Amino acid sequence: MSILNRHILTFEIIAIMTFWIPVSGQTTATDYTRAEQFLSWNAAMLVEGDEMSPEWLDGDRFWYRSHIGDGHEFILVDPDSRTRSVAFDHDRLAAALSIAADTSYVANKLPFETFDFVEDQSIQFHTGDSIRWECSLASYTCAGPDHIPAHPNTERLSPDGRWVAFTRNENLWIRSLDDGAERRLSEDGEENFGYAVPPEGCCSAVTLKREGNEAPPVLTWSPDSRRIAAHRLDERDVKQLHLLEAKTGRPELHSYRVALPGDSVIPTYEIHIFDVENATATQVRIDPLEAMNTSCCGLMIDTLWKDVRWGDDSEQVFFTRSVRSYDTLQLFAADTENGEARLIVEERSKTFVEANGRSGGVPNWRVTNGNSEVVWWSERDGWGHLYLFDAVTGELKNRITEGPWMVLDLLHVDDTGRWAYFTGVGREEGRDIYNRHLYRASLDGGRIELLSVEDADHEIWASPSGRYFIDQFGDLESAPTTVLRDSNGSILLGLEEGDFSELLATGWNFPTHFVATARDGVTPVHGLLFFPSNFDPDTKYPVVDYIYPGPQVGAVRGRQASVRQGGNAAALAELGFIVFLIDAMGTPARDKAFHDSYYGNMRDNGLPDHIAALRQLARKYPQIDLDHVGIFGHSGGGFSSTDAILSYPDFFKVAVSSAGNHDNRSYDYTWGEKYHGLLERNDDGTDSFDSQANQNLAGELSGKLLLMYGTLDDNVHPNATIMVIDELIEHNKDFDLLVMPNRNHGFANEPYVIRRTWDYFVTHLQGRTPPNQFKIIQPGG
């Protein structure tokens, strides 16, 4: 070999090494151990007062689990008397249960997370082995164990407590809680065309079956317990998907019905009204509804069927109807005696109609004032606002809110005081536009009051009566505070004071909030940067972009300090990376145009905004090394991280992609058709979804790509990843693959997956050698 050729070869090797390897050396087990302490489940044990999930009792009383370091205690609150106290003596209960169970329990780690009061004299709870106990709060003795199961998720209790409704053999049944007598309310249910049956489609049919669980029935009781509204879901001709469960010997086939974009048949449903006392049934007189309403075909929150609601009595039922193109949403009222349906409000959009500014939130409409009015949320002027309609004539009576800001969640409507209570974002000048605040607005228009004045993000829970509001508020760089407010916004009682001091003492840092300019050079976009605790301002750091593109939610999950930000970002940063999260254009909680920004072009994924923001941040933080940028994500983040390394190979050099919906033609129809539009077939055999499919860009791979999928993923079918793999092989591309046997969609936070992700970025972004087979330990795992 000539000297010239040796020099050329040496230059090529150096260029390759410079491209991939900014530093060299060994990352040690000590480095991984330091990062491991910042994983959410470890960091959470060093934080107090950051949790709130109220369980409402009679009236407006409630209890909740208070987070105290590495344990919890149960707190009882009575808003009327302004009292907060422990729900019981935790030490005495732990001692009593230890004696009864012949084991050892401690006060802050009792073996249950929920319980029921029994006439305020005792509590009942189930331990992890499904054994029920009852413990007296007077004598602190525990009776049991017995094997009476917890109230099943498959039954819906009537408001008067006399009945439960459930499905059996595709029909709707009720059972008396007085004498146990059962009665069948429908007669003609058949396989895949049953009453109140949950849909098989996305996203857990196989998982529930394997776990021996069932989804809740799709029904709602009238307020007076006289009637039940339920759907009759038709999935008879919906095509199936299939998954193979690995087992010794023969694998087991699991089949479930899911409609995909472009399918000629999708699930539809009818609405039926059942009279409990008279055992009669009435079908609502409207053509079968396409199953893609704001909650798909029956998503339940508590006992609420999100798209079907009762009025003040059992004489009328109200429901929304969407269409497959998602560009229309209609509100109807139906007479429960004769089934006659009448249209009240119709909402249209050039793209898709939402019913809540957070996409997946509870639809923001309420029938009020004796069934005579409807409070309705709409983005018709480009922002999400509340309107008041006449529920009889359908006429618009007035706007309730307006302006360049967004109503998020309608929490309560006060008929007597004529107020709508809600959370909103972007109204208060000089504050983070994503910070939620509590407001009330006059139903008759013209008056809006800010009830949570603190410059912070406010997460709100309304009491059943609407007289009280629990408010947890804070920002990204301080521990949250939780208080009880009255309907005027006055603070009545302090509930929790968050404390991050023990965690901060370990070196953990709050993330840095940034505002950059999107691709258009005008629109502000917000995000977070995570720096290692030993950050050196004189050192260049590779960047890892944790992506979730939406469109239903962004990567930044909440605007309060949390140890649970996406991708375990703080832990990854501790390995010597700057970790980047952004809510790019196309994510919700902003104006309609922002959310619509890449409608019809799902390949966009907000990636131009990621690149634009990182380039701006690199000018502010010269420690950001734009020559070494990696990206990772799960589900939609798996789709977009692979898209990033294929579409922008000069910018993104390493990608880790798990459970990606790489081609939405193999994902549930309600997703792709909502955000990309209806599938249109061309004469040449192509279609309108070709542009979004990652496998069609497989030939562009030049960086390092790690793909992962679970073989029993009943949310995003493995077919999407396998199609990408096939095309990478066809184009003779090197890539890495991790297959997770018998895992469903939820494997992203498994310790093994986290460790392999760390290894991949340490190896290919830093050029360092990770510790050999470091084992991350998850508490209780």
Side-chain angles (χ1 to χ4, degrees), residues 568-606:
N568 277 297
L572 181 58
E574 195 64 10
L575 292 176
F577 300 99
I578 295 175
V579 182
F580 166 93
L581 283 70
I582 191 172
D583 283 348
M585 294 179 71
T587 55
R590 299 277 291 269
D591 59 276
K592 177 66 171 168
F594 187 95
H595 195 192
D596 282 355
S597 64
Y598 63 80
Y599 173 80
N601 178 27
M602 290 190 75
R603 171 161 301 288
D604 181 288
N605 279 312

Side-chain angles (χ1 to χ4, degrees), residues 17-146:
M17 291 179 66
T18 302
F19 185 80
W20 287 113
I21 305 177
V23 293
S24 61
Q26 174 77 42
T27 296
T28 67
T30 300
D31 298 323
Y32 269 47
T33 299
R34 189 177 66 251
E36 184 182 14
Q37 70 178 330
F38 294 162
L39 289 171
S40 59
W41 51 69
N42 292 324
M45 291 191 289
L46 303 179
V47 173
E48 295 190 356
D50 62 326
E51 297 180 7
M52 173 55 66
S53 182
E55 295 287 339
W56 301 101
L57 303 171
D58 55 290
D60 288 318
R61 292 194 311 150
F62 64 93
W63 65 261
Y64 67 93
R65 287 177 87 216
S66 172
H67 187 194
I68 49 172
D70 64 347
H72 293 83
E73 65 179 1
F74 294 87
I75 302 297
L76 179 64
V77 179
D78 187 336
D80 290 341
S81 61
R82 314 290 195 264
T83 58
R84 174 195 183 277
S85 60
V86 292
F88 44 77
D89 187 318
H90 290 63
D91 288 307
R92 293 184 68 187
L93 185 67
L97 187 58
S98 295
I99 293 171
D102 192 24
T103 186
S104 180
Y105 295 110
V106 294
N108 68 333
K109 293 183 179 179
L110 293 169
F112 56 91
E113 296 182 3
T114 186
F115 67 90
D116 294 311
F117 278 111
V118 182
E119 298 179 349
D120 285 349
Q121 301 299 312
S122 61
I123 61 170
Q124 287 182 351
F125 55 86
H126 285 75
T127 56
D129 49 6
S130 297
I131 291 175
R132 191 183 73 161
W133 296 87
E134 182 168 330
C135 297
S136 167
L137 299 184
S139 63
Y140 280 92
T141 55
C142 293
D146 62 43

Side-chain angles (χ1 to χ4, degrees), residues 433 515-526 585 590-591 594 609 612 616:
I433 62 172
V515 182
T517 303
R519 70 190 81 180
D520 59 6
V522 176
T523 305
V525 285
H526 292 238
M585 294 179 71
R590 299 277 291 269
D591 59 276
F594 187 95
D609 302 322
Q616 295 165 56

